[in-house]
PDB file of all heavy atoms in Angstrom:
ATOM      1  N   PRO A1858      32.564 -25.124   2.921  1.00  0.00           N
ATOM      2  CA  PRO A1858      31.967 -26.045   3.842  1.00  0.00           C
ATOM      3  C   PRO A1858      31.941 -25.367   5.366  1.00  0.00           C
ATOM      4  O   PRO A1858      32.915 -24.736   5.681  1.00  0.00           O
ATOM      5  CB  PRO A1858      32.914 -27.178   3.847  1.00  0.00           C
ATOM      6  CG  PRO A1858      33.633 -27.155   2.590  1.00  0.00           C
ATOM      7  CD  PRO A1858      33.762 -25.722   2.267  1.00  0.00           C
ATOM      8  N   GLY A1859      30.901 -25.632   6.044  1.00  0.00           N
ATOM      9  CA  GLY A1859      30.743 -25.108   7.322  1.00  0.00           C
ATOM     10  C   GLY A1859      31.695 -25.876   8.282  1.00  0.00           C
ATOM     11  O   GLY A1859      32.161 -27.039   7.993  1.00  0.00           O
ATOM     12  N   ALA A1860      32.090 -25.290   9.417  1.00  0.00           N
ATOM     13  CA  ALA A1860      32.865 -25.888  10.416  1.00  0.00           C
ATOM     14  C   ALA A1860      32.022 -27.196  11.032  1.00  0.00           C
ATOM     15  O   ALA A1860      30.837 -26.894  11.189  1.00  0.00           O
ATOM     16  CB  ALA A1860      33.275 -25.008  11.580  1.00  0.00           C
ATOM     17  N   PRO A1861      32.621 -28.313  11.305  1.00  0.00           N
ATOM     18  CA  PRO A1861      31.833 -29.380  11.802  1.00  0.00           C
ATOM     19  C   PRO A1861      31.013 -28.932  12.952  1.00  0.00           C
ATOM     20  O   PRO A1861      31.474 -28.420  14.006  1.00  0.00           O
ATOM     21  CB  PRO A1861      32.950 -30.399  12.209  1.00  0.00           C
ATOM     22  CG  PRO A1861      34.211 -29.954  11.432  1.00  0.00           C
ATOM     23  CD  PRO A1861      34.057 -28.616  11.293  1.00  0.00           C
ATOM     24  N   GLY A1862      29.633 -29.298  12.806  1.00  0.00           N
ATOM     25  CA  GLY A1862      28.753 -29.028  13.871  1.00  0.00           C
ATOM     26  C   GLY A1862      28.421 -27.463  14.176  1.00  0.00           C
ATOM     27  O   GLY A1862      27.869 -27.117  15.097  1.00  0.00           O
ATOM     28  N   ALA A1863      28.938 -26.651  13.214  1.00  0.00           N
ATOM     29  CA  ALA A1863      28.856 -25.276  13.463  1.00  0.00           C
ATOM     30  C   ALA A1863      27.453 -24.745  13.026  1.00  0.00           C
ATOM     31  O   ALA A1863      26.968 -25.165  12.171  1.00  0.00           O
ATOM     32  CB  ALA A1863      29.878 -24.542  12.564  1.00  0.00           C
ATOM     33  N   VAL A1864      27.000 -23.844  13.856  1.00  0.00           N
ATOM     34  CA  VAL A1864      25.693 -23.215  13.539  1.00  0.00           C
ATOM     35  C   VAL A1864      26.054 -21.682  13.557  1.00  0.00           C
ATOM     36  O   VAL A1864      27.132 -21.273  13.972  1.00  0.00           O
ATOM     37  CB  VAL A1864      24.628 -23.433  14.574  1.00  0.00           C
ATOM     38  CG1 VAL A1864      24.155 -24.837  14.366  1.00  0.00           C
ATOM     39  CG2 VAL A1864      25.120 -23.096  15.905  1.00  0.00           C
ATOM     40  N   ALA A1865      25.115 -20.896  13.035  1.00  0.00           N
ATOM     41  CA  ALA A1865      25.414 -19.436  13.059  1.00  0.00           C
ATOM     42  C   ALA A1865      25.637 -18.948  14.488  1.00  0.00           C
ATOM     43  O   ALA A1865      24.899 -19.185  15.380  1.00  0.00           O
ATOM     44  CB  ALA A1865      24.150 -18.716  12.438  1.00  0.00           C
ATOM     45  N   PRO A1866      26.796 -18.371  14.723  1.00  0.00           N
ATOM     46  CA  PRO A1866      27.056 -17.955  16.093  1.00  0.00           C
ATOM     47  C   PRO A1866      26.167 -16.843  16.461  1.00  0.00           C
ATOM     48  O   PRO A1866      25.785 -15.980  15.799  1.00  0.00           O
ATOM     49  CB  PRO A1866      28.459 -17.528  15.980  1.00  0.00           C
ATOM     50  CG  PRO A1866      28.725 -17.193  14.545  1.00  0.00           C
ATOM     51  CD  PRO A1866      27.820 -17.958  13.768  1.00  0.00           C
ATOM     52  N   ALA A1867      25.940 -16.885  17.760  1.00  0.00           N
ATOM     53  CA  ALA A1867      25.004 -15.841  18.281  1.00  0.00           C
ATOM     54  C   ALA A1867      25.873 -14.622  18.415  1.00  0.00           C
ATOM     55  O   ALA A1867      27.034 -14.570  18.336  1.00  0.00           O
ATOM     56  CB  ALA A1867      24.514 -16.176  19.716  1.00  0.00           C
ATOM     57  N   ALA A1868      25.008 -13.462  18.601  1.00  0.00           N
ATOM     58  CA  ALA A1868      25.764 -12.133  18.755  1.00  0.00           C
ATOM     59  C   ALA A1868      26.586 -12.237  20.042  1.00  0.00           C
ATOM     60  O   ALA A1868      26.227 -12.993  20.952  1.00  0.00           O
ATOM     61  CB  ALA A1868      24.703 -11.105  19.010  1.00  0.00           C
ATOM     62  N   PRO A1869      27.720 -11.547  20.083  1.00  0.00           N
ATOM     63  CA  PRO A1869      28.542 -11.528  21.301  1.00  0.00           C
ATOM     64  C   PRO A1869      27.712 -11.329  22.548  1.00  0.00           C
ATOM     65  O   PRO A1869      26.953 -10.312  22.573  1.00  0.00           O
ATOM     66  CB  PRO A1869      29.590 -10.549  21.075  1.00  0.00           C
ATOM     67  CG  PRO A1869      29.546 -10.206  19.568  1.00  0.00           C
ATOM     68  CD  PRO A1869      28.107 -10.564  19.098  1.00  0.00           C
TER      69      PRO A1869
END
Side-chain angles (χ1 to χ4, degrees):
Chain A
V1864 288

